[in-house]
Amino acid sequence: MEVHDSPCCLSQSRSEFRSLMSTWRVHRSVQKVAVIALLAILVFPALAQQAADLTQRSLEDLMNIKVTSVSKKEQKTSEAAAAVFVISREDIRRSGALNIPDLLRMVPGLDVAQIDAGRWAITARGFNGQYSDDLLVLIDGRTVYTPIFAGVFWDSQNVALDTIERIEVIRGPGAAVWGSNAVNGVINIITRKADDTQGGYAVAGLGDIGTGPETVVYGGKVRGLGAYRVNAEGFHYNSLPTFGGIDGQDDWRLVHGGFRTDSTL
């Protein structure tokens, strides 16, 4: 006795086969989408972090960083006729430094020496000392040297790091543009615009070497006058131990405040 498949059974088998194939294709598509999404989650943050790293940028991008301290006008570093180094806001955030002298350690060719807990000796091109007077230091284009010896007391010139936009360092003579004190170079600390720091925030720190810095910053606007920012900062760093292990009696404490206003006439 012979058994033959009827046409209705064949058509039913074909429809089931097509249904299975379509379901398999859907599952394969879902798997591909899931794999692509997983790769995007893993790869894109790494690419973003790599792009933010200045060491991974091309030479053309680095030469297009704009500075203002060389000729008192905005220009690209490739067009600046000086050896200039820029510490950006991102560099400051990633450095972990607590003060400006520690930030300046990353500048090539700049001699930064710490005498005790609160005194520093900073210069370029040699002849370093606490009372070096051949390096011009500016904050937003205004000189901050003391008239006692025409140098800088770094323990009293402390700017809240969160309010700094960038630090431009010129190694080499700059007296033709900036005048006296710029024999060995210029350090120009440029703070952020008041428009970019609207609102308020507070920062506090605590560690085994001291307390702080505790920083309070608030920015706002006055109708018809422009934007403003006020800030206050305080810290206390413990004394450095001597070679004999005793207290060096050189602890560094400071409380100071500042403000900035930006207006358009």
Side-chain angles (χ1 to χ4, degrees):
M1 176 175 150
E2 295 180 358
V3 178
H4 299 281
D5 293 333
S6 63
C8 62
C9 295
L10 290 176
S11 61
Q12 182 179 2
S13 299
R14 289 173 183 173
S15 62
E16 291 177 354
F17 179 77
R18 293 195 185 105
S19 173
L20 289 175
M21 289 298 295
S22 61
T23 304
W24 180 79
R25 290 193 186 96
V26 170
H27 286 311
R28 293 288 295 178
S29 302
V30 172
Q31 291 177 357
K32 289 180 180 180
V33 172
V35 171
I36 294 174
L38 180 61
L39 290 176
I41 294 174
L42 296 176
V43 174
F44 286 172
L47 291 177
Q49 182 177 4
Q50 184 178 7
D53 189 359
L54 292 179
T55 60
Q56 301 298 326
R57 292 187 179 181
S58 64
L59 182 60
E60 290 77 9
D61 292 339
L62 294 176
M63 298 302 288
N64 287 332
I65 297 177
K66 294 183 179 181
V67 295
T68 58
S69 300
V70 178
S71 58
K72 291 189 177 182
K73 65 179 182 180
E74 189 176 86
Q75 60 183 161
K76 299 179 180 178
T77 53
S78 59
E79 301 172 353
V84 58
F85 186 88
V86 179
I87 303 176
S88 66
R89 183 183 170 198
E90 184 67 17
D91 296 332
I92 297 173
R93 187 182 67 86
R94 293 175 179 270
S95 66
L98 299 177
N99 49 61
I100 294 176
D102 279 341
L103 279 176
L104 296 177
R105 292 183 183 275
M106 68 176 67
V107 180
L110 202 64
D111 188 9
V112 180
Q114 186 173 5
I115 302 173
D116 57 22
R119 291 186 299 169
W120 303 79
I122 302 175
T123 190
R125 306 176 70 186
F127 303 103
N128 196 12
Q130 181 183 358
Y131 303 110
S132 300
D133 57 356
D134 294 331
L135 183 66
L136 182 63
V137 181
L138 309 101
I139 298 179
D140 288 330
R142 299 181 65 88
T143 59
V144 293
Y145 68 85
T146 173
I148 298 176
F149 63 97
V152 177
F153 283 124
W154 289 98
D155 56 345
S156 61
Q157 298 298 337
N158 199 72
V159 181
L161 301 186
D162 293 336
T163 63
I164 297 178
E165 179 67 27
R166 66 183 185 275
I167 301 177
E168 299 177 1
V169 181
I170 302 172
R171 305 181 308 279
V177 176
W178 293 102
S180 59
N181 284 44
V183 176
N184 290 339
V186 178
I187 298 177
N188 190 10
I189 303 170
I190 302 173
T191 61
R192 301 177 63 189
K193 294 182 179 179
D195 287 326
D196 299 332
T197 55
Q198 295 297 294
Y201 65 90
V203 179
L206 179 65
D208 56 354
I209 63 173
T211 59
E214 285 89 12
T215 306
V216 178
V217 180
Y218 181 79
K221 292 184 178 181
V222 178
R223 181 176 298 179
L225 296 178
Y228 68 90
R229 178 182 67 240
V230 293
N231 62 276
E233 183 181 24
F235 57 83
H236 180 203
Y237 297 144
N238 298 331
S239 303
L240 295 178
T242 63
F243 289 108
I246 61 176
D247 192 344
Q249 300 295 328
D250 58 352
D251 60 318
W252 180 26
R253 63 184 66 192
L254 181 66
V255 177
H256 70 107
F259 69 93
R260 170 169 175 159
T261 59
D262 296 312
S263 60
T264 303
L265 298 178

